[in-house]
């Protein structure tokens, strides 16, 4: 199993540009989430999904869109990049049930917006 | 609503000394509790988790944590640390109905000195 994969690993954007961060998992997990990590602030939830076709907002959703057409994929779209979106982005997946529930994280995407 | 407070942002210790990283949480529902470790430029990986049952949980790399419901704490301990334990550690909480929506603390940087 590859686990959770994210592409790209690094990205530099100019203010106003749009892009999509890709996330895929091969563990047949129902839940998928996007977090951003900023220095001294831990991880903050952007959007999450409990299954294909179902998404919901997290703590910091503004400026980001998501969709989940398949169990495996959960892309994060930046509509019009801003310097405040400079961060490291992590995708995670998990599955409910006794003995599970922990999240499996991808390696992250380091995004810089100029 | 739920929240997590990691009481120490940085913990420096000498090699082979014991260490405790403190975590307090608040939640209006029953929770699952997790400790994750993040090595430089990597994603997060699970150290240990509390779902139910015994309040003392053992994880990987010799770490353990104790769930204390009355004090709403979940402190992480290791009796003897190694240089390789130098990393950032995150405490996280999720409601027991949705593990994909976790709230993370701000992190504790553990630095082990020779």
């Amino acid at each position: 199993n590859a686990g959770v994969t994210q592409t790209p690993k690094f990205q530099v954007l100019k203010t106003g540009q749009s892009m999509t961060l890709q996330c895929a998992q091969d563990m047949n997990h129902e839940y998928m989430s996007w977090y951003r990590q900023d220095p001294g602030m831990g991880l903050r939830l952007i959007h999450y999904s409990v299954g294909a076709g179902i998404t919901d907002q997290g703590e910091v959703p503004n400026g980001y869109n998501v969709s989940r057409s398949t169990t495996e994929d959960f892309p994060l779209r930046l509509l019009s990049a801003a310097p405040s979106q400079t961060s490291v982005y992590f995708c995670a997946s998990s599955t409910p049930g006794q003995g599970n529930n922990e999240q499996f994280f991808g390696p992250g995407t380091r995004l810089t917006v100029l | 609503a739920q929240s997590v407070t990691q009481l120490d942002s940085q913990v420096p210790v000498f090699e082979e000394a014991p260490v405790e990283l403190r975590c307090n949480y608040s939640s209006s529902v029953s929770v699952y509790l997790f400790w994750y470790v993040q090595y430089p430029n990597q994603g997060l990986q699970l150290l240990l988790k509390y779902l139910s049952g015994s309040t003392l949980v053992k994880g990987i790399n010799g770490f353990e944590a104790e769930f204390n419901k009355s004090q709403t704490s979940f402190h992480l301990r290791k009796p003897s640390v190694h240089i390789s334990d130098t990393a950032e550690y995150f405490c996280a909480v999720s409601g027991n109905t949705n593990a994909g929506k976790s709230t993370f603390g701000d992190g504790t940087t553990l630095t082990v000195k020779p």
Side-chain angles (χ1 to χ4, degrees):
Chain A
N1 284 351
V4 180
T5 57
Q6 292 183 240
T7 56
K9 291 188 177 180
F10 301 94
Q11 184 70 49
V12 179
L13 293 177
K14 295 181 179 178
T15 296
Q17 288 184 313
S18 63
M19 79 160 295
T20 300
L21 280 62
Q22 301 291 345
C23 174
Q25 54 94 6
D26 61 359
M27 297 173 283
N28 201 32
H29 284 170
E30 297 173 47
Y31 297 167
M32 296 186 74
S33 308
W34 275 102
Y35 295 89
R36 59 177 289 173
Q37 183 180 28
D38 301 295
M41 298 184 72
L43 277 74
R44 291 182 292 168
L45 183 66
I46 305 172
H47 286 284
Y48 70 102
S49 169
V50 298
I54 306 170
T55 64
D56 204 352
Q57 295 181 352
E59 180 185 357
V60 288
N62 292 342
Y64 307 96
N65 273 358
V66 293
S67 61
R68 185 129 178 244
S69 56
T70 67
T71 299
E72 295 78 18
D73 300 298
F74 191 43
L76 178 72
R77 282 181 286 276
L78 279 70
L79 308 174
S80 178
S84 60
Q85 294 179 304
T86 293
S87 187
V88 181
Y89 291 84
F90 289 101
C91 180
S93 72
S94 60
T95 187
Q98 190 66 30
N100 296 309
N101 301 95
E102 72 263 31
Q103 293 187 290
F104 294 80
F105 285 84
T109 294
R110 189 174 296 273
L111 175 68
T112 301
V113 182
L114 303 176
Chain B
Q2 55 200 25
S3 66
V4 176
T5 302
Q6 292 184 239
L7 299 170
D8 307 290
S9 60
Q10 298 193 20
V11 175
V13 295
F14 288 105
E15 194 173 19
E16 298 184 6
V19 70
E20 178 180 79
L21 307 184
R22 298 179 294 167
C23 172
N24 287 350
Y25 71 93
S26 68
S27 177
S28 56
V29 298
S30 297
V31 297
Y32 296 145
L33 293 158
F34 308 87
W35 276 99
Y36 292 88
V37 61
Q38 184 181 34
Y39 299 103
N41 299 314
Q42 295 186 25
L44 281 70
Q45 61 185 83
L46 182 72
L47 269 181
L48 49 77
K49 61 185 176 184
Y50 172 79
L51 304 181
S52 64
S54 173
T55 57
L56 182 64
V57 288
K58 294 187 183 299
I60 62 172
N61 301 339
F63 284 93
E64 63 180 32
E66 186 157 17
F67 170 58
N68 188 319
K69 188 174 182 179
S70 62
Q71 297 187 4
T72 60
S73 68
F74 190 55
H75 300 334
L76 181 71
R77 301 185 182 98
K78 185 170 183 178
S80 176
V81 294
H82 304 289
I83 297 288
S84 59
D85 292 323
T86 294
E88 188 148 22
Y89 293 79
F90 292 95
C91 181
V93 61
S94 70
N96 60 5
T97 57
N98 188 350
K101 192 178 179 182
S102 296
T103 299
F104 286 79
D106 290 342
T108 298
T109 301
L110 174 65
T111 303
V112 181
K113 299 180 286 187

